[in-house]
Amino acid sequence: MQALIVSHLSPDLSGVALLDLPMPQRAPGQVLVRVHATSLNFPDLLMTRGEYQFKPEPPFVLGLELAGEVVEADAGSPLPVGTRVMGGSKGGCMAQYAALDPSALRPIPDGIDYPTAAALGAAYGTAYTALVEIGGLKAGDWVLVHGATGGVGLAAADLAKALGAKVIATTGSPAKLEALKAACNPDAAILAEGRFREAVAEITGGRLCDLVYDPVGGDIFDESTRCVAFGGKLLVIGFAGGRIADVSTNIPLIKGFSIVGVRAGEYARRFPERGKALREAMLALAASGQLHPHIDRILPLERWREAFDAMAARQIVGKVVLVP
């Protein structure tokens, strides 16, 4: 089979190549999945550089999530041969086949195709864990979503709208403002630059935001501490902007808000029953047509470099799906 391999870490993708590998051999209890779609996530790019918190030793197969069909399984498996599945692991999904535990997978709801299923899991799982499970999102809340043209940010804006929140979506690119509005129909879309608190205050009538969803960090985080309403939560999702911010503890004290870190995958691993319930709730929304994953482009796996370069250059709105 073909798989996308990191043979050595590098800043310029020089250590990445599409290679022929032996078919994976599943362990007892595992299932073998023929991968029909796999989506690119920002951690995939970071892992090629050794800059993600999970640091596998090269060589390793990239890819955190997939959608495909079970082609081998034990007798009595909860996912028998022929089951359409979605899910993933900490790697190994950017390949034509993957051997996974059934606990890492779930059936794809009827009416959802493989590319959409591959675009749902990580981004919407993170958004649901952050906004609903940890953030306690309620209909009518004001939610400020940063990096809303990226996969994780766009999923959060889409989910919050589906659950009745009022969404201010941000982007750092003036050229992406109209695309952002079309992709998730926020209540407002603004540029996240300079002192954007004034714009947030004007939009919310001075209330500011009950939840701030921040996958960017750096200067965006700094200004976001001024945008949280009293009693609200600033949800730390990641650091796509590059700088890990500091905060003076008098700021959340005086303003009465919480800063909460979100690691959705780790949350599901530590609390598997809650993780399962969250995934099922998210998939029920998707199956009912209330969620609308935005796929920027679908490319064959051999065009992986085009996908990674577009992500590095921040040219993507939503998700890129690769087809092995």
Side-chain angles (χ1 to χ4, degrees), residues 62-253:
L62 282 164
L64 303 177
E65 60 183 333
L66 58 76
E69 180 183 0
V70 176
V71 293
E72 286 184 18
D74 291 344
S77 171
L79 298 173
V81 171
T83 305
R84 297 191 323 131
V85 293
M86 59 185 288
S89 67
K90 291 184 176 181
C93 294
M94 290 184 178
Q96 291 177 315
Y97 291 87
L100 296 167
D101 292 333
S103 60
L105 300 165
R106 46 244 177 236
I108 298 174
D110 291 342
I112 296 179
D113 61 20
Y114 287 121
T116 301
L120 267 170
Y124 281 84
T126 297
Y128 200 97
T129 301
L131 295 176
V132 180
E133 179 78 353
I134 295 174
L137 176 71
K138 305 181 298 298
D141 281 350
W142 277 103
V143 181
L144 177 62
V145 178
H146 292 304
T149 52
V152 170
L154 193 53
D158 184 35
L159 175 65
K161 286 290 292 182
L163 296 177
K166 291 175 284 189
V167 174
I168 303 172
T170 82
T171 176
S173 168
K176 288 184 177 180
L177 268 177
E178 293 307 313
L180 174 56
K181 294 174 185 177
C184 64
N185 190 32
D187 294 272
I190 64 173
L191 289 175
E193 58 182 16
R195 293 294 192 176
F196 54 79
R197 179 198 179 278
E198 282 67 29
V200 170
E202 182 177 354
I203 292 165
T204 61
R207 174 179 170 177
L208 301 178
C209 291
D210 304 285
L211 296 173
V212 177
Y213 185 94
D214 179 20
V216 181
D219 294 346
I220 300 301
F221 176 91
D222 294 342
E223 182 67 3
S224 290
T225 62
R226 305 177 66 235
C227 298
V228 192
F230 192 91
K233 293 180 180 177
L234 200 170
L235 302 165
V236 179
I237 311 301
F239 316 103
R243 179 173 68 85
I244 297 175
D246 297 318
V247 62
S248 298
T249 53
N250 66 310
I251 297 175
L253 169 66

Side-chain angles (χ1 to χ4, degrees), residues 7-18:
S7 59
H8 64 269
L9 304 177
S10 65
D12 58 0
L13 300 175
S14 61
V16 185
L18 187 63

Side-chain angles (χ1 to χ4, degrees), residues 46 102 115 134 139 193 272 281 283 303:
L46 294 180
I134 295 174
E193 58 182 16
L283 287 176
R303 290 170 62 184

